[in-house]
Amino acid sequence: MINLLLFPIILPFFFAIVLLFFKENIRVQRSLTVIGLLAALTSSLFLISKVKADGVQAITLGSWPAPFGISMVSDMFSALLVTTTIIITLFVVVYSFSSIGKERERFFYYPAILFMITGVNGAFTTGDIFNMFVFFEVLLIASYLLIVLGGEKRQLRESIKYILVNVISSALFVITVAYLYSVIGTLNMADISVKIAEIGQPGIITVIAVLFLIVFGVKGSLFPLYFWLPGSYAAPPIPVLALFGALLTKVGVYAIIRTYTLFFVHDIGFTHELLLVLSILTIIAGCIGALAYFDLKQIIIYNIVIAIGVILFGVSQMNESGLSGAIFYLVHDMLIKGALFLLIGIIIYVTGTSNLRKMGGLMKTHAPLGWVYLIAAFGLAGIPPLSGFVGKMLIVKGAFEAGNVVGSIIILASSLVVLLSVMRIFIYAFWGKPVELPKTDRRPYRSMMIPSVVLVVLSVLYGVGTEWLIPYMSDATDVLLQPSIYIDAVLKE
Protein backbone atom coordinates (compact mmCIF):
# COMPACT_ATOMS: atom_id res chain seq x y z
CA MET A 1 0.00 0.00 0.00
CA ILE A 2 2.83 2.39 0.84
CA ASN A 3 4.11 2.32 -2.76
CA LEU A 4 1.07 4.39 -3.71
CA LEU A 5 3.30 7.46 -3.54
CA LEU A 6 5.30 6.20 -6.54
CA PHE A 7 2.25 5.67 -8.79
CA PRO A 8 1.73 9.34 -9.83
CA ILE A 9 5.35 9.27 -11.04
CA ILE A 10 5.55 5.76 -12.52
CA LEU A 11 2.20 5.78 -14.39
CA PRO A 12 2.88 8.87 -16.58
CA PHE A 13 6.40 7.52 -17.21
CA PHE A 14 5.10 4.11 -18.26
CA PHE A 15 2.43 5.54 -20.56
CA ALA A 16 4.96 7.97 -22.09
CA ILE A 17 7.19 5.05 -23.05
CA VAL A 18 4.25 3.10 -24.54
CA LEU A 19 3.23 6.18 -26.59
CA LEU A 20 6.64 6.31 -28.26
CA PHE A 21 5.59 3.19 -30.23
CA PHE A 22 2.42 4.82 -31.63
CA LYS A 23 3.97 7.94 -33.16
CA GLU A 24 1.68 8.09 -36.22
CA ASN A 25 -1.55 6.91 -34.62
CA ILE A 26 -3.06 10.06 -33.12
CA ARG A 27 -6.22 8.38 -31.85
CA VAL A 28 -4.24 5.82 -29.84
CA GLN A 29 -1.95 8.60 -28.54
CA ARG A 30 -4.91 10.64 -27.31
CA SER A 31 -6.71 7.69 -25.71
CA LEU A 32 -3.65 6.32 -23.93
CA THR A 33 -2.66 9.77 -22.63
CA VAL A 34 -6.11 10.33 -21.09
CA ILE A 35 -6.19 6.80 -19.63
CA GLY A 36 -2.70 7.26 -18.16
CA LEU A 37 -3.59 10.61 -16.60
CA LEU A 38 -6.89 9.29 -15.17
CA ALA A 39 -5.02 6.32 -13.63
CA ALA A 40 -2.41 8.69 -12.16
CA LEU A 41 -5.17 10.98 -10.83
CA THR A 42 -6.94 8.06 -9.15
CA SER A 43 -3.70 6.97 -7.47
CA SER A 44 -2.93 10.53 -6.30
CA LEU A 45 -6.43 10.89 -4.77
CA PHE A 46 -5.90 7.59 -2.93
CA LEU A 47 -2.53 8.93 -1.81
CA ILE A 48 -4.13 12.08 -0.33
CA SER A 49 -6.59 9.96 1.67
CA LYS A 50 -3.75 7.69 2.82
CA VAL A 51 -1.64 10.68 3.97
CA LYS A 52 -4.71 12.18 5.69
CA ALA A 53 -5.39 8.93 7.55
CA ASP A 54 -1.84 7.76 8.36
CA GLY A 55 0.38 10.85 8.15
CA VAL A 56 3.50 11.37 6.03
CA GLN A 57 4.30 8.41 3.74
CA ALA A 58 7.95 7.58 3.07
CA ILE A 59 9.70 4.82 1.17
CA THR A 60 13.46 4.32 0.70
CA LEU A 61 14.24 2.61 -2.58
CA GLY A 62 16.32 -0.55 -2.91
CA SER A 63 15.68 -1.76 0.68
CA TRP A 64 18.38 0.56 1.97
CA PRO A 65 17.70 2.27 5.27
CA ALA A 66 17.36 6.08 5.20
CA PRO A 67 19.51 8.17 4.86
CA PHE A 68 21.59 5.80 2.66
CA GLY A 69 18.96 4.90 0.07
CA ILE A 70 17.03 7.37 -2.07
CA SER A 71 13.91 8.35 -0.13
CA MET A 72 10.59 9.28 -1.72
CA VAL A 73 8.34 11.18 0.68
CA SER A 74 4.74 12.22 0.32
CA ASP A 75 3.32 14.63 2.87
CA MET A 76 0.04 16.51 2.41
CA PHE A 77 1.79 19.46 0.74
CA SER A 78 3.40 17.39 -2.00
CA ALA A 79 0.31 15.14 -2.41
CA LEU A 80 -1.90 18.18 -3.03
CA LEU A 81 0.53 19.59 -5.61
CA VAL A 82 0.86 16.22 -7.38
CA THR A 83 -2.93 15.91 -7.65
CA THR A 84 -3.35 19.49 -8.90
CA THR A 85 -0.62 18.89 -11.51
CA ILE A 86 -2.38 15.82 -12.91
CA ILE A 87 -5.79 17.55 -12.98
CA ILE A 88 -4.43 20.53 -14.94
CA THR A 89 -2.50 18.30 -17.35
CA LEU A 90 -5.62 16.22 -18.03
CA PHE A 91 -7.62 19.30 -19.07
CA VAL A 92 -4.76 20.76 -21.12
CA VAL A 93 -4.47 17.44 -22.99
CA VAL A 94 -8.20 17.40 -23.77
CA TYR A 95 -7.92 21.04 -24.91
CA SER A 96 -4.95 20.09 -27.12
CA PHE A 97 -7.09 17.66 -29.16
CA SER A 98 -8.68 20.57 -31.02
CA SER A 99 -6.01 23.25 -30.73
CA ILE A 100 -2.45 21.92 -31.02
CA GLY A 101 -2.67 20.57 -34.58
CA LYS A 102 -2.03 17.09 -35.97
CA GLU A 103 1.55 17.87 -37.07
CA ARG A 104 2.61 18.51 -33.50
CA GLU A 105 0.58 15.57 -32.17
CA ARG A 106 2.54 13.26 -34.48
CA PHE A 107 5.84 14.53 -33.15
CA PHE A 108 5.95 13.09 -29.61
CA TYR A 109 3.75 15.86 -28.16
CA TYR A 110 1.89 13.59 -25.71
CA PRO A 111 4.92 11.55 -24.59
CA ALA A 112 6.74 14.85 -23.91
CA ILE A 113 3.85 16.03 -21.71
CA LEU A 114 3.83 12.75 -19.76
CA PHE A 115 7.62 12.78 -19.31
CA MET A 116 7.35 16.35 -18.07
CA ILE A 117 4.66 15.35 -15.53
CA THR A 118 6.92 12.49 -14.39
CA GLY A 119 9.61 15.07 -13.63
CA VAL A 120 7.21 17.53 -11.96
CA ASN A 121 5.61 14.91 -9.71
CA GLY A 122 9.02 13.38 -8.95
CA ALA A 123 10.37 16.77 -7.86
CA PHE A 124 7.33 17.23 -5.59
CA THR A 125 7.76 13.78 -4.04
CA THR A 126 11.50 13.20 -3.68
CA GLY A 127 13.13 13.23 -0.27
CA ASP A 128 16.66 13.46 -1.66
CA ILE A 129 18.16 16.78 -2.77
CA PHE A 130 20.27 15.30 -5.60
CA ASN A 131 17.28 13.30 -6.79
CA MET A 132 15.39 16.60 -6.97
CA PHE A 133 18.02 17.78 -9.45
CA VAL A 134 17.49 14.59 -11.49
CA PHE A 135 13.71 15.14 -11.65
CA PHE A 136 14.27 18.81 -12.56
CA GLU A 137 16.33 17.61 -15.52
CA VAL A 138 13.62 15.13 -16.58
CA LEU A 139 10.96 17.85 -16.67
CA LEU A 140 13.35 20.33 -18.35
CA ILE A 141 14.38 17.95 -21.14
CA ALA A 142 10.70 17.29 -21.90
CA SER A 143 10.00 21.03 -21.80
CA TYR A 144 12.83 21.66 -24.30
CA LEU A 145 10.97 19.47 -26.79
CA LEU A 146 7.63 21.15 -26.07
CA ILE A 147 9.01 24.69 -26.44
CA VAL A 148 10.51 24.02 -29.91
CA LEU A 149 7.78 21.68 -31.20
CA GLY A 150 6.51 23.08 -34.50
CA GLY A 151 9.77 24.84 -35.25
CA GLU A 152 8.38 28.35 -35.74
CA LYS A 153 11.05 31.03 -35.98
CA ARG A 154 9.99 32.75 -32.75
CA GLN A 155 9.90 29.45 -30.85
CA LEU A 156 13.43 28.55 -31.93
CA ARG A 157 14.76 32.00 -31.05
CA GLU A 158 13.20 32.05 -27.58
CA SER A 159 14.03 28.40 -26.88
CA ILE A 160 17.76 29.16 -27.11
CA LYS A 161 17.41 31.64 -24.25
CA TYR A 162 15.20 29.23 -22.27
CA ILE A 163 17.62 26.32 -22.66
CA LEU A 164 20.73 28.41 -21.90
CA VAL A 165 19.26 29.86 -18.71
CA ASN A 166 18.17 26.43 -17.51
CA VAL A 167 21.47 24.74 -18.36
CA ILE A 168 23.36 27.39 -16.38
CA SER A 169 20.98 27.18 -13.40
CA SER A 170 21.19 23.35 -13.48
CA ALA A 171 24.99 23.54 -13.36
CA LEU A 172 24.73 25.91 -10.40
CA PHE A 173 22.25 23.49 -8.77
CA VAL A 174 24.79 20.64 -8.92
CA ILE A 175 27.56 22.90 -7.56
CA THR A 176 25.32 24.02 -4.68
CA VAL A 177 24.36 20.43 -3.83
CA ALA A 178 28.08 19.53 -3.87
CA TYR A 179 28.81 22.42 -1.48
CA LEU A 180 26.05 21.27 0.83
CA TYR A 181 27.29 17.68 0.71
CA SER A 182 30.87 18.75 1.49
CA VAL A 183 29.68 20.57 4.62
CA ILE A 184 26.94 18.19 5.81
CA GLY A 185 27.92 14.80 4.34
CA THR A 186 24.42 13.65 3.35
CA LEU A 187 21.91 14.17 0.52
CA ASN A 188 18.79 12.89 2.29
CA MET A 189 16.62 15.96 2.94
CA ALA A 190 15.43 14.86 6.38
CA ASP A 191 19.01 14.01 7.36
CA ILE A 192 20.28 17.37 6.03
CA SER A 193 17.77 19.10 8.30
CA VAL A 194 19.01 17.12 11.33
CA LYS A 195 22.68 17.77 10.55
CA ILE A 196 22.17 21.52 10.00
CA ALA A 197 20.30 21.71 13.32
CA GLU A 198 23.25 19.98 15.02
CA ILE A 199 25.81 22.49 13.75
CA GLY A 200 23.45 25.48 14.07
CA GLN A 201 23.67 26.93 10.53
CA PRO A 202 27.11 28.58 10.37
CA GLY A 203 27.84 31.22 7.73
CA ILE A 204 28.72 28.67 5.03
CA ILE A 205 25.23 27.15 5.28
CA THR A 206 23.68 30.60 4.89
CA VAL A 207 25.77 31.08 1.73
CA ILE A 208 24.43 27.74 0.45
CA ALA A 209 20.89 28.92 1.31
CA VAL A 210 21.39 32.00 -0.87
CA LEU A 211 22.81 29.84 -3.70
CA PHE A 212 19.71 27.60 -3.53
CA LEU A 213 17.55 30.71 -3.67
CA ILE A 214 19.35 31.77 -6.87
CA VAL A 215 18.98 28.29 -8.45
CA PHE A 216 15.30 27.90 -7.61
CA GLY A 217 14.69 31.61 -8.20
CA VAL A 218 15.71 31.15 -11.84
CA LYS A 219 13.36 28.17 -12.19
CA GLY A 220 10.55 29.83 -10.24
CA SER A 221 11.07 33.29 -11.82
CA LEU A 222 11.93 35.34 -8.74
CA PHE A 223 13.13 38.94 -9.17
CA PRO A 224 15.56 39.72 -10.84
CA LEU A 225 15.92 36.21 -12.30
CA TYR A 226 12.61 36.16 -14.20
CA PHE A 227 14.03 38.06 -17.24
CA TRP A 228 13.85 34.97 -19.49
CA LEU A 229 10.24 34.09 -18.68
CA PRO A 230 7.98 36.52 -20.62
CA GLY A 231 9.65 35.91 -23.97
CA SER A 232 10.17 32.16 -23.60
CA TYR A 233 6.65 31.40 -22.37
CA ALA A 234 4.95 33.46 -25.06
CA ALA A 235 6.64 31.53 -27.89
CA PRO A 236 5.06 28.02 -27.79
CA PRO A 237 1.37 27.26 -28.60
CA ILE A 238 -1.28 27.93 -25.93
CA PRO A 239 -1.60 24.39 -24.46
CA VAL A 240 2.18 24.28 -23.89
CA LEU A 241 2.08 27.80 -22.42
CA ALA A 242 -0.74 26.68 -20.07
CA LEU A 243 1.35 23.74 -18.84
CA PHE A 244 4.47 25.84 -18.40
CA GLY A 245 2.63 28.72 -16.71
CA ALA A 246 0.61 26.54 -14.37
CA LEU A 247 3.26 23.96 -13.47
CA LEU A 248 6.92 24.66 -14.24
CA THR A 249 7.46 27.84 -12.23
CA LYS A 250 5.63 26.18 -9.33
CA VAL A 251 8.28 23.45 -9.11
CA GLY A 252 10.89 26.15 -8.40
CA VAL A 253 8.56 27.72 -5.83
CA TYR A 254 7.97 24.33 -4.19
CA ALA A 255 11.74 23.78 -3.96
CA ILE A 256 12.22 27.16 -2.24
CA ILE A 257 9.39 26.42 0.19
CA ARG A 258 10.72 22.95 1.00
CA THR A 259 14.35 23.99 1.55
CA TYR A 260 13.47 27.20 3.42
CA THR A 261 11.16 25.41 5.86
CA LEU A 262 13.17 22.19 6.27
CA PHE A 263 16.87 23.19 6.07
CA PHE A 264 17.50 26.89 6.49
CA VAL A 265 15.46 27.74 9.58
CA HIS A 266 18.21 28.77 12.00
CA ASP A 267 19.13 32.17 10.57
CA ILE A 268 15.72 33.48 9.54
CA GLY A 269 16.82 37.06 10.18
CA PHE A 270 18.96 36.88 7.04
CA THR A 271 17.64 34.17 4.69
CA HIS A 272 13.93 34.81 5.07
CA GLU A 273 14.39 38.58 5.16
CA LEU A 274 16.16 38.28 1.79
CA LEU A 275 13.28 36.13 0.50
CA LEU A 276 10.82 38.77 1.77
CA VAL A 277 12.56 41.63 -0.05
CA LEU A 278 12.92 39.66 -3.30
CA SER A 279 9.27 38.55 -3.20
CA ILE A 280 8.08 42.16 -2.82
CA LEU A 281 10.32 43.25 -5.73
CA THR A 282 8.94 40.33 -7.76
CA ILE A 283 5.37 41.53 -7.13
CA ILE A 284 6.24 45.11 -8.16
CA ALA A 285 8.07 43.96 -11.32
CA GLY A 286 5.14 41.70 -12.26
CA CYS A 287 2.64 44.54 -11.73
CA ILE A 288 4.61 46.86 -14.02
CA GLY A 289 4.74 44.20 -16.74
CA ALA A 290 1.05 43.31 -16.44
CA LEU A 291 0.06 46.95 -17.00
CA ALA A 292 2.66 47.72 -19.68
CA TYR A 293 1.57 45.24 -22.35
CA PHE A 294 -1.37 45.08 -24.74
CA ASP A 295 -0.68 41.45 -25.58
CA LEU A 296 -2.99 38.81 -24.06
CA LYS A 297 -0.21 36.30 -23.41
CA GLN A 298 2.17 38.82 -21.85
CA ILE A 299 -0.48 40.19 -19.45
CA ILE A 300 -1.23 36.74 -18.02
CA ILE A 301 2.48 35.74 -18.05
CA TYR A 302 3.35 38.78 -15.91
CA ASN A 303 0.52 37.73 -13.60
CA ILE A 304 2.50 34.50 -13.04
CA VAL A 305 5.39 36.66 -11.78
CA ILE A 306 3.05 38.56 -9.41
CA ALA A 307 1.68 35.28 -8.00
CA ILE A 308 5.18 33.88 -7.41
CA GLY A 309 5.95 37.00 -5.36
CA VAL A 310 2.73 36.68 -3.35
CA ILE A 311 3.32 32.99 -2.54
CA LEU A 312 6.95 33.49 -1.48
CA PHE A 313 6.01 36.56 0.55
CA GLY A 314 3.67 34.28 2.55
CA VAL A 315 6.46 31.73 3.00
CA SER A 316 8.93 34.36 4.22
CA GLN A 317 6.66 35.14 7.22
CA MET A 318 7.35 31.64 8.65
CA ASN A 319 4.14 31.64 10.69
CA GLU A 320 1.03 29.50 10.41
CA SER A 321 -1.18 32.05 8.63
CA GLY A 322 1.52 32.99 6.13
CA LEU A 323 2.44 29.40 5.25
CA SER A 324 -1.12 28.08 5.01
CA GLY A 325 -2.00 31.11 2.87
CA ALA A 326 0.99 30.36 0.62
CA ILE A 327 -0.10 26.71 0.16
CA PHE A 328 -3.70 27.73 -0.48
CA TYR A 329 -2.62 30.37 -2.97
CA LEU A 330 -0.15 28.05 -4.71
CA VAL A 331 -2.85 25.47 -5.55
CA HIS A 332 -5.30 28.26 -6.50
CA ASP A 333 -2.75 29.82 -8.82
CA MET A 334 -2.04 26.53 -10.60
CA LEU A 335 -5.76 26.03 -11.29
CA ILE A 336 -6.61 29.60 -12.25
CA LYS A 337 -3.54 30.14 -14.46
CA GLY A 338 -4.30 26.90 -16.29
CA ALA A 339 -7.89 28.05 -16.85
CA LEU A 340 -6.92 31.60 -17.91
CA PHE A 341 -4.32 30.46 -20.43
CA LEU A 342 -6.86 28.09 -22.00
CA LEU A 343 -9.43 30.92 -22.16
CA ILE A 344 -7.07 33.44 -23.78
CA GLY A 345 -6.18 30.66 -26.22
CA ILE A 346 -9.83 30.57 -27.28
CA ILE A 347 -9.91 34.38 -27.59
CA ILE A 348 -6.79 34.24 -29.81
CA TYR A 349 -8.36 31.41 -31.87
CA VAL A 350 -11.57 33.39 -32.41
CA THR A 351 -9.96 36.77 -33.17
CA GLY A 352 -6.82 35.54 -34.91
CA THR A 353 -4.61 37.86 -32.85
CA SER A 354 -3.24 38.30 -29.33
CA ASN A 355 -3.15 42.11 -29.66
CA LEU A 356 -5.84 43.71 -27.48
CA ARG A 357 -6.04 46.78 -29.72
CA LYS A 358 -7.27 44.64 -32.62
CA MET A 359 -10.19 43.12 -30.68
CA GLY A 360 -13.65 44.22 -29.64
CA GLY A 361 -17.31 43.29 -29.25
CA LEU A 362 -16.83 39.57 -28.61
CA MET A 363 -19.71 39.73 -26.10
CA LYS A 364 -22.12 39.89 -29.07
CA THR A 365 -20.73 36.79 -30.76
CA HIS A 366 -19.19 34.74 -27.92
CA ALA A 367 -21.07 35.69 -24.73
CA PRO A 368 -20.40 32.40 -22.81
CA LEU A 369 -16.66 32.88 -23.33
CA GLY A 370 -16.96 36.41 -21.91
CA TRP A 371 -18.77 35.36 -18.76
CA VAL A 372 -16.46 32.40 -18.07
CA TYR A 373 -13.44 34.65 -18.58
CA LEU A 374 -14.92 37.24 -16.20
CA ILE A 375 -15.34 34.64 -13.43
CA ALA A 376 -11.74 33.44 -13.93
CA ALA A 377 -10.49 37.06 -13.90
CA PHE A 378 -12.28 37.77 -10.61
CA GLY A 379 -10.84 34.53 -9.19
CA LEU A 380 -7.32 35.59 -10.17
CA ALA A 381 -7.77 39.01 -8.57
CA GLY A 382 -9.00 37.38 -5.34
CA ILE A 383 -12.55 38.70 -5.19
CA PRO A 384 -14.48 36.82 -2.46
CA PRO A 385 -15.74 34.08 -2.34
CA LEU A 386 -13.51 32.94 -5.21
CA SER A 387 -10.34 30.93 -4.62
CA GLY A 388 -7.78 33.76 -4.76
CA PHE A 389 -9.36 35.52 -1.80
CA VAL A 390 -8.72 32.97 0.96
CA GLY A 391 -5.01 32.46 0.27
CA LYS A 392 -4.31 36.17 -0.08
CA MET A 393 -6.25 36.99 3.09
CA LEU A 394 -4.25 34.43 5.08
CA ILE A 395 -0.94 35.72 3.66
CA VAL A 396 -1.86 39.31 4.62
CA LYS A 397 -2.93 38.10 8.07
CA GLY A 398 0.43 36.32 8.47
CA ALA A 399 2.26 39.50 7.42
CA PHE A 400 0.40 41.61 9.98
CA GLU A 401 1.18 39.02 12.67
CA ALA A 402 4.88 39.22 11.71
CA GLY A 403 4.76 43.04 11.70
CA ASN A 404 5.26 43.43 7.93
CA VAL A 405 2.64 46.12 7.38
CA VAL A 406 4.29 47.60 4.27
CA GLY A 407 4.41 44.16 2.62
CA SER A 408 0.72 43.62 3.38
CA ILE A 409 -0.19 46.93 1.76
CA ILE A 410 1.85 46.02 -1.35
CA ILE A 411 0.06 42.65 -1.59
CA LEU A 412 -3.36 44.33 -1.34
CA ALA A 413 -2.35 46.97 -3.88
CA SER A 414 -1.13 44.24 -6.24
CA SER A 415 -4.64 42.72 -6.16
CA LEU A 416 -5.97 45.95 -7.66
CA VAL A 417 -3.28 45.87 -10.36
CA VAL A 418 -4.13 42.24 -11.17
CA LEU A 419 -7.83 43.14 -11.39
CA LEU A 420 -7.03 46.12 -13.61
CA SER A 421 -4.83 44.05 -15.94
CA VAL A 422 -7.36 41.23 -16.43
CA MET A 423 -10.35 43.61 -16.66
CA ARG A 424 -8.50 45.48 -19.40
CA ILE A 425 -8.55 42.26 -21.43
CA PHE A 426 -12.29 41.95 -20.76
CA ILE A 427 -13.03 45.57 -21.74
CA TYR A 428 -10.94 45.53 -24.92
CA ALA A 429 -11.88 42.06 -26.16
CA PHE A 430 -15.53 41.75 -25.15
CA TRP A 431 -16.87 45.31 -25.06
CA GLY A 432 -16.60 48.10 -27.57
CA LYS A 433 -17.30 48.05 -31.27
CA PRO A 434 -17.31 44.55 -32.80
CA VAL A 435 -14.32 43.85 -35.00
CA GLU A 436 -14.61 41.70 -38.10
CA LEU A 437 -13.55 38.18 -37.08
CA PRO A 438 -11.68 35.72 -39.29
CA LYS A 439 -13.69 32.70 -40.43
CA THR A 440 -13.19 29.94 -37.86
CA ASP A 441 -14.78 26.56 -37.35
CA ARG A 442 -17.21 26.51 -34.39
CA ARG A 443 -16.40 22.88 -33.55
CA PRO A 444 -12.90 23.44 -32.14
CA TYR A 445 -14.28 26.48 -30.27
CA ARG A 446 -16.85 24.29 -28.50
CA SER A 447 -14.41 21.50 -27.70
CA MET A 448 -11.86 24.03 -26.36
CA MET A 449 -14.53 25.62 -24.17
CA ILE A 450 -15.34 22.39 -22.27
CA PRO A 451 -11.97 21.85 -20.46
CA SER A 452 -11.64 25.62 -19.90
CA VAL A 453 -15.08 25.87 -18.27
CA VAL A 454 -14.47 22.80 -16.09
CA LEU A 455 -11.17 24.25 -14.82
CA VAL A 456 -12.88 27.56 -13.98
CA VAL A 457 -15.66 25.67 -12.16
CA LEU A 458 -13.02 23.70 -10.22
CA SER A 459 -11.30 26.93 -9.18
CA VAL A 460 -14.65 28.36 -8.02
CA LEU A 461 -15.37 25.18 -6.02
CA TYR A 462 -11.88 25.42 -4.53
CA GLY A 463 -12.77 28.88 -3.21
CA VAL A 464 -16.33 28.09 -2.12
CA GLY A 465 -15.32 24.77 -0.50
CA THR A 466 -12.59 26.35 1.62
CA GLU A 467 -14.07 25.04 4.85
CA TRP A 468 -13.98 21.48 3.57
CA LEU A 469 -10.35 21.87 2.44
CA ILE A 470 -9.00 23.42 5.64
CA PRO A 471 -8.11 20.08 7.36
CA TYR A 472 -5.93 19.17 4.36
CA MET A 473 -4.31 22.59 4.22
CA SER A 474 -3.57 22.59 7.96
CA ASP A 475 -1.94 19.14 7.61
CA ALA A 476 0.27 20.55 4.85
CA THR A 477 1.13 23.61 6.96
CA ASP A 478 1.96 21.53 10.04
CA VAL A 479 4.68 19.63 8.19
CA LEU A 480 6.27 22.89 7.03
CA LEU A 481 6.08 24.51 10.47
CA GLN A 482 7.27 21.41 12.33
CA PRO A 483 10.02 19.73 10.28
CA SER A 484 10.26 16.99 12.92
CA ILE A 485 7.06 15.41 11.49
CA TYR A 486 8.79 15.03 8.11
CA ILE A 487 12.12 13.96 9.60
CA ASP A 488 10.58 11.29 11.84
CA ALA A 489 8.56 9.80 8.97
CA VAL A 490 11.67 9.44 6.80
CA LEU A 491 14.36 8.43 9.26
CA LYS A 492 12.20 6.08 11.33
CA GLU A 493 10.47 4.28 8.49
Side-chain angles (χ1 to χ4, degrees):
M1 186 66 178
I2 197 163
N3 293 355
L4 254 181
L5 68 92
L6 295 176
F7 274 75
I9 305 163
I10 291 170
L11 284 170
F13 184 68
F14 170 74
F15 276 89
I17 290 171
V18 172
L19 285 178
L20 296 176
F21 297 101
F22 297 98
K23 180 173 179 275
E24 295 301 319
N25 194 329
I26 291 174
R27 187 169 290 172
V28 172
Q29 292 240 4
R30 290 175 175 180
S31 312
L32 283 177
T33 307
V34 170
I35 291 166
L37 287 168
L38 286 171
L41 180 59
T42 310
S43 67
S44 72
L45 290 169
F46 270 115
L47 179 60
I48 285 184
S49 65
K50 177 85 175 152
V51 172
K52 185 83 193 99
D54 302 339
V56 179
Q57 300 294 303
I59 177 172
T60 304
L61 305 176
S63 303
W64 286 84
F68 305 108
I70 291 176
S71 296
M72 302 297 283
V73 188
S74 194
D75 58 357
M76 189 54 79
F77 182 34
S78 67
L80 287 170
L81 292 181
V82 163
T83 308
T84 313
T85 297
I86 297 168
I87 289 170
I88 290 163
T89 310
L90 181 61
F91 289 115
V92 170
V93 162
V94 173
Y95 182 93
S96 300
F97 294 166
S98 45
S99 68
I100 196 77
K102 287 194 166 51
E103 280 310 303
R104 284 190 173 94
E105 284 183 290
R106 278 203 184 89
F107 226 87
F108 304 114
Y109 173 68
Y110 296 114
I113 287 180
L114 291 178
F115 279 128
M116 192 171 94
I117 299 314
T118 304
V120 171
N121 286 347
F124 287 150
T125 312
T126 184
D128 181 284
I129 193 75
F130 185 77
N131 211 23
M132 184 183 273
F133 163 75
V134 174
F135 281 119
F136 265 67
E137 291 309 295
V138 171
L139 72 90
L140 283 172
I141 289 166
S143 76
Y144 298 156
L145 169 60
L146 289 170
I147 200 169
V148 297
L149 198 57
E152 291 166 16
K153 196 174 177 184
R154 183 182 181 193
Q155 277 179 276
L156 296 174
R157 188 182 66 239
E158 290 296 341
S159 66
I160 293 169
K161 183 167 68 181
Y162 176 77
I163 292 169
L164 266 177
V165 165
N166 277 300
V167 165
I168 292 165
S169 83
S170 294
L172 187 59
F173 193 172
V174 175
I175 293 165
T176 309
V177 169
Y179 264 144
L180 185 63
Y181 185 71
S182 69
V183 177
I184 301 295
T186 179
L187 294 170
N188 183 293
M189 284 155 75
D191 203 30
I192 291 170
S193 182
V194 173
K195 296 277 201 302
I196 291 178
E198 282 170 6
I199 59 173
Q201 193 162 342
I204 182 70
I205 298 286
T206 305
V207 171
I208 291 167
V210 174
L211 283 172
F212 270 124
L213 190 58
I214 293 169
V215 169
F216 299 139
V218 171
K219 307 211 186 276
S221 69
L222 190 63
F223 180 88
L225 306 165
Y226 71 92
F227 61 89
W228 57 272
L229 181 104
S232 298
Y233 276 23
I238 287 290
V240 176
L241 166 58
L243 281 175
F244 282 17
L247 306 179
L248 290 198
T249 46
K250 307 307 182 294
V251 183
V253 171
Y254 166 81
I256 292 174
I257 295 174
R258 182 63 81 195
T259 52
Y260 270 59
T261 55
L262 189 61
F263 304 168
F264 311 119
V265 290
H266 307 284
D267 187 12
I268 290 181
F270 181 79
T271 50
H272 291 62
E273 202 62 35
L274 177 65
L275 185 60
L276 175 85
V277 171
L278 290 177
S279 60
I280 289 174
L281 291 172
T282 307
I283 294 169
I284 294 167
C287 288
I288 293 166
L291 293 179
Y293 283 91
F294 272 86
D295 182 274
L296 282 180
K297 290 181 180 178
Q298 294 291 358
I299 292 171
I300 307 295
I301 286 169
Y302 273 102
N303 271 296
I304 298 176
V305 178
I306 298 172
I308 301 295
V310 171
I311 294 161
L312 292 176
F313 178 80
V315 175
S316 68
Q317 309 310 314
M318 280 304 274
N319 56 23
E320 191 172 348
S321 302
L323 279 169
S324 57
I327 295 168
F328 226 103
Y329 201 81
L330 180 56
V331 176
H332 141 80
D333 195 63
M334 290 167 80
L335 288 170
I336 205 78
K337 286 294 189 310
L340 272 168
F341 279 121
L342 297 189
L343 287 167
I344 64 164
I346 300 173
I347 298 172
I348 293 168
Y349 172 75
V350 168
T351 58
T353 176
S354 63
N355 186 340
L356 278 180
R357 292 192 178 98
K358 294 180 182 168
M359 298 179 190
L362 281 180
M363 218 43 173
K364 288 193 173 69
T365 52
H366 297 80
L369 176 60
W371 293 118
V372 174
Y373 173 79
L374 193 62
I375 293 166
F378 284 162
L380 182 69
I383 292 182
L386 298 169
S387 56
F389 173 70
V390 183
K392 208 166 265 189
M393 187 186 71
L394 282 168
I395 289 171
V396 169
K397 179 171 175 255
F400 274 118
E401 285 170 11
N404 291 320
V405 180
V406 177
S408 309
I409 293 164
I410 290 171
I411 294 262
L412 294 169
S414 76
S415 296
L416 294 174
V417 175
V418 169
L419 184 60
L420 188 63
S421 70
V422 285
M423 285 312 293
R424 206 171 52 161
I425 294 177
F426 184 73
I427 290 162
Y428 271 86
F430 292 96
W431 287 2
K433 207 168 78 188
V435 176
E436 192 180 340
L437 299 174
K439 286 268 180 284
T440 48
D441 189 355
R442 290 292 283 200
R443 248 189 337 225
Y445 165 72
R446 286 193 207 100
S447 45
M448 283 151 79
M449 275 297 280
I450 294 164
S452 314
V453 170
V454 178
L455 261 183
V456 173
V457 169
L458 275 177
S459 78
V460 171
L461 291 175
Y462 180 68
V464 175
T466 302
E467 210 169 318
W468 184 72
L469 290 165
I470 279 187
Y472 296 89
M473 294 297 167
S474 57
D475 277 11
T477 312
D478 287 347
V479 176
L480 297 183
L481 276 174
Q482 301 163 28
S484 57
I485 301 173
Y486 184 97
I487 294 162
D488 293 346
V490 178
L491 297 182
K492 290 179 183 170
E493 66 93 15

